[in-house]
Amino acid sequence: MKLQGITIDFYDKRTCGLLPDLCAQWDIRYDELEDNEELISYWEDSLKKVLSKTDKVVSGNVEGKSILYSADEEAIKIIQDEFKELELSTIEYDDIIRCEHCIKHDYIADENKLVEAN
């Protein structure tokens, strides 16, 4: 199953190219990107806004990347609206099995319920 959403890589300094306003005060020579308080606040505030509107998302950390994805059209629209500066990307549901500390919407259980209902 394909999910759409956004990924912010706190270990890749190129992330600042996607969100340059959040890196204006951050000193690349001395600090790691995960120390960038403006970028962290952007992620946390936007994530809270999304979660206040929908729970049909998968969110957490995969290999140092913060992810927020969904297969639900309405949830995808909410993600897109809250993270206007970032382009949506697509991943496979199976790719996020390694997610650490995830908030998950169980799409597999939803599919099984649909099959049982029919």
Side-chain angles (χ1 to χ4, degrees):
M1 171 185 302
K2 293 192 182 303
L3 305 177
Q4 285 192 296
I6 57 105
T7 300
I8 294 182
D9 190 343
F10 284 92
Y11 292 112
D12 188 347
K13 291 176 172 63
R14 292 178 293 183
T15 299
C16 281
L18 302 173
L19 300 161
D21 293 344
L22 299 178
C23 294
Q25 305 301 318
W26 175 68
D27 192 338
I28 192 169
R29 295 170 295 174
Y30 300 108
D31 300 325
E32 296 296 326
L33 190 56
E34 68 259 18
D35 297 329
N36 183 335
E37 292 180 24
E38 288 186 45
L39 184 59
I40 292 168
S41 292
Y42 168 78
W43 168 256
E44 290 175 349
D45 293 345
S46 297
L47 179 61
K48 284 178 190 173
K49 290 176 186 174
V50 169
L51 293 175
S52 72
K53 296 175 185 173
T54 184
D55 64 351
K56 295 184 178 181
V57 298
V58 177
S59 179
N61 300 310
V62 177
E63 299 171 357
K65 299 174 184 170
S66 293
I67 64 166
L68 179 60
Y69 285 84
S70 183
D72 180 77
E73 290 296 323
E74 185 177 319
I76 293 168
K77 176 85 172 94
I78 292 168
I79 293 169
Q80 193 170 31
D81 290 346
E82 291 302 330
F83 290 92
K84 294 177 189 73
E85 301 84 359
L86 300 172
E87 284 189 39
L88 292 180
S89 56
T90 303
I91 62 171
E92 289 290 331
Y93 187 64
D94 293 339
D95 292 343
I96 59 172
I97 291 173
R98 301 179 312 260
C99 188
E100 306 154 14
H101 311 294
C102 274
I103 300 167
K104 294 183 182 180
H105 179 79
D106 191 348
Y107 290 101
I108 304 302
D110 284 355
E111 284 183 3
N112 291 339
K113 287 178 190 173
L114 287 174
V115 171
E116 291 172 5
N118 294 330

